Amino acid sequence: MAHEPDWESLDQLQFLLLRRVVEPLNAALAAISLLHLDSAADKPRAYWQERATNEVMGTLNLINAWHALIRFKLGELLPQQHIRPFYVQEMLDWLAYQLQLVNPLHAEKNLLIEANRESLQEALLLLYSAAYTLGPSVRLIVQNTTDGMWFRVRYAKVGPAPCNEDLDALIQRLSGNWRLEDTAFELRTAADFIALNGSQLHLQGSEQSCEMAFFVYTLGRRPANPLSTAQVTEPPALQTSDSEEILYSTLVRPGTDSSTRQIPPQILKEIDALSGEGQPPAPPAAQANGGESPPQKDNR
């Protein structure tokens, strides 16, 4: 007897991922269409070839991360060959591009960390998106230690809701409308991506801020335990002074379409025609909190 797919869950996945698959591929096709020109918008062919390659590689990374998560949720350990050490600054540069961060991200030490990069990237993107539903002034912070690095996604506390509850309790509160339910799904999935790498998502806070944090080991520092066993090291106490933070970035440029990011304005019209996308809307006025504005989420 054929098994009927869980169409509701598939719809939830499609809502989360479809745009992130379609837009990079449209941008890659647009760049490929310019390769026949000796120079397009004062850029050589090599520029557009590299852009097309990067957009396609980003899509493959996305698919590989979710494939690994599916296998993990079915009870399989992540194969050791998928734990490929990489320098953390490479991932921070990628995140800054994807999140359109105004302030560049620079690690205090460019550590060689032992993890599956694609799945960590997905975890941080999901946490960053979820944080904008939970509170304003979202920041990505990294903190070096002797054995590895803490990744912390921090946001300003709003109302009396506790910051130090466990993940299940937080998710239970996120119900009542589609946006809260999608945020709950983002948090659950981010925690799974982190667990896939043998780590654990921690929640903590102060009177002013809440944060979600997890730890990744540098090469050779991971204890000799299975990758499926989450390490239980508690994160350092939440700091409230920006001077104690290694790095942070608070601003996502509003109204910017990822399929047209960094493309010279002279050929935006041509790319829009190829990709079927309209011109990105003009940025709204800066907010009173220093110009911060959350990333734009799709409306159903």
Side-chain angles (χ1 to χ4, degrees):
M1 182 175 179
H3 175 69
E4 181 71 14
D6 182 352
W7 294 106
E8 185 175 354
S9 296
L10 289 175
D11 176 64
Q12 198 170 23
L13 278 172
Q14 177 180 263
F15 177 69
L16 186 65
L17 298 178
L18 182 62
R19 185 173 181 179
R20 292 182 53 210
V21 172
V22 171
E23 288 184 351
L25 293 180
N26 281 337
L29 286 174
I32 290 170
S33 72
L34 301 172
L35 288 176
H36 69 284
L37 302 176
D38 291 332
S39 177
D42 299 323
K43 298 291 185 182
R45 291 177 179 174
Y47 172 88
W48 297 111
Q49 182 173 358
E50 182 181 5
R51 177 171 175 79
T53 300
N54 289 340
E55 296 289 357
V56 172
M57 287 299 299
T59 304
L60 287 175
N61 288 341
L62 173 71
I63 293 171
N64 287 335
W66 282 84
H67 172 74
L69 180 63
I70 291 169
R71 307 315 305 173
F72 177 74
K73 294 296 287 183
L74 290 174
E76 299 179 15
L77 292 178
L78 190 66
Q80 188 62 39
Q81 62 266 29
H82 288 188
I83 305 295
R84 299 183 298 273
F86 61 92
Y87 286 100
V88 69
Q89 189 60 51
E90 297 174 3
M91 186 173 73
L92 295 179
D93 291 341
W94 185 91
L95 288 167
Y97 173 77
Q98 293 297 319
L99 295 171
Q100 305 173 52
L101 300 180
V102 171
N103 299 322
L105 302 178
H106 293 295
E108 183 185 37
K109 296 180 181 178
N110 190 17
L111 300 179
L112 185 64
I113 60 178
E114 185 177 3
N116 176 262
R117 175 175 168 177
E118 294 94 335
S119 56
L120 282 190
Q121 290 173 171
E122 284 299 296
L124 285 164
L125 289 176
L126 290 169
L127 291 178
Y128 203 88
S129 176
Y132 267 105
T133 300
L134 301 173
S137 304
V138 178
R139 290 181 283 183
L140 172 60
I141 304 163
V142 295
Q143 195 167 34
N144 295 113
T145 71
T146 303
D147 294 327
M149 178 170 286
W150 281 99
F151 293 86
R152 302 144 78 107
V153 177
R154 181 177 301 172
Y155 56 94
K157 183 177 180 180
V158 177
C163 293
N164 298 311
E165 58 190 337
D166 62 38
L167 183 64
D168 289 338
L170 173 58
I171 289 174
Q172 284 296 320
R173 293 196 288 106
L174 297 174
S175 62
N177 60 63
W178 69 263
R179 180 163 184 173
L180 291 177
E181 290 168 1
D182 282 339
T183 299
F185 179 69
E186 288 175 332
L187 289 173
R188 283 195 301 268
T189 308
D192 287 336
F193 274 123
I194 292 166
L196 179 152
N197 284 280
S199 190
Q200 180 179 346
L201 182 63
H202 300 269
L203 308 180
Q204 63 176 9
S206 66
E207 293 183 0
Q208 296 83 24
S209 303
C210 302
E211 74 175 22
M212 300 170 284
F214 64 92
F215 185 81
V216 180
Y217 285 101
T218 54
L219 182 63
R221 292 285 188 169
R222 180 187 292 275
N225 62 338
L227 291 177
S228 61
T229 302
Q231 56 83 31
V232 294
T233 304
E234 291 297 323
L238 183 148
Q239 306 290 341
T240 57
S241 171
D242 287 348
S243 65
E244 297 177 272
E245 296 172 4
I246 303 304
L247 64 89
Y248 69 92
S249 188
T250 58
L251 181 60
V252 174
R253 291 187 299 160
T256 303
D257 189 309
S258 63
S259 66
T260 59
R261 209 177 304 147
Q262 295 187 354
I263 298 180
Q266 298 95 321
I267 61 165
L268 281 177
K269 187 175 296 185
E270 179 177 350
I271 290 182
D272 290 337
L274 287 167
S275 65
E277 297 286 344
Q279 290 284 358
Q287 306 294 316
N289 57 356
E292 296 176 9
S293 180
Q296 304 300 307
K297 289 194 175 184
D298 294 335
N299 292 322
R300 290 185 183 243

